[in-house]
Amino acid sequence: MNSKGKLWEIEAANYLRKKKYRLLCANYRTRFGEIDLIVRNKKYICFVEVKQRNINSIAAPGEFVDYAKQKKIKAAAMLYLASNKTDLQPRFDVIEIYTQDNRINSLKHLENAF
C-alpha cells in the first residue's frame, strides 16, 4: 500500500473514533486477504474497507468493493472471529473518502455496506 492509502486509513480511523468506535486492529492480514480496519462499538464489531477516489471519479469509492473483494474480506473476518471471540454482531462497512487535489473533500461511512 502506498503512503496515501495509509493516510486515508488513518483519517478513517480518526473519524470512527469520533463516532465512539474503538479501534481493535488495522491492516489485519490473512492468506485470504486484508481488512483495513476492525473497530467496535456497543453493538457491533465492524470490518471496514477504506476506499478513496477523486471527487470527479466516474464511480463512488464503495463501488470498487466488488463481490470478489467482499468475499476476501468476509473470509478474513471469519479467521479474525475464530481467534478473537466476541458476543458482538459482525458488520461490514465501507468508508468512502472523496478527495480533491490530494486533500479530503468529504468522507462517508456506509454502515452494513455488504
Side-chain angles (χ1 to χ4, degrees):
M1 170 175 291
N2 63 33
S3 60
K4 282 288 182 193
K6 289 280 185 220
L7 175 65
W8 307 137
E9 288 178 8
I10 290 167
E11 291 293 334
N14 289 337
Y15 170 84
L16 290 168
R17 274 192 205 98
K18 289 176 187 165
K19 288 182 69 178
K20 305 293 185 218
Y21 287 84
R22 186 163 64 93
L23 181 65
L24 300 176
C25 187
N27 300 310
Y28 178 74
R29 296 180 193 281
T30 73
R31 60 192 167 126
F32 299 112
E34 180 204 351
I35 300 171
D36 292 334
L37 302 171
I38 302 173
V39 297
R40 64 168 287 167
N41 64 13
K42 291 180 182 176
K43 283 178 73 174
Y44 298 99
I45 181 166
C46 303
F47 301 94
V48 182
E49 178 69 9
V50 178
K51 284 291 182 196
Q52 171 272 332
R53 290 294 180 269
N54 184 286
I55 61 167
N56 298 320
S57 177
I58 195 164
E63 293 180 53
F64 293 91
V65 185
D66 62 8
Y67 180 71
K69 180 69 172 172
Q70 291 174 20
K71 274 180 61 173
K72 289 178 181 181
I73 294 168
K74 287 177 183 178
M78 295 290 285
L79 277 181
Y80 180 86
L81 292 171
S83 58
N84 297 275
K85 300 292 181 205
T86 182
D87 292 331
L88 298 173
Q89 175 70 38
R91 190 176 78 195
F92 297 91
D93 294 359
V94 173
I95 298 272
E96 294 183 327
I97 297 179
Y98 294 88
T99 59
Q100 185 173 25
D101 300 323
N102 281 324
R103 289 201 157 115
I104 293 178
N105 183 281
S106 64
L107 188 148
K108 188 188 250 183
H109 182 191
L110 305 176
E111 296 179 2
N112 205 25
F114 58 92

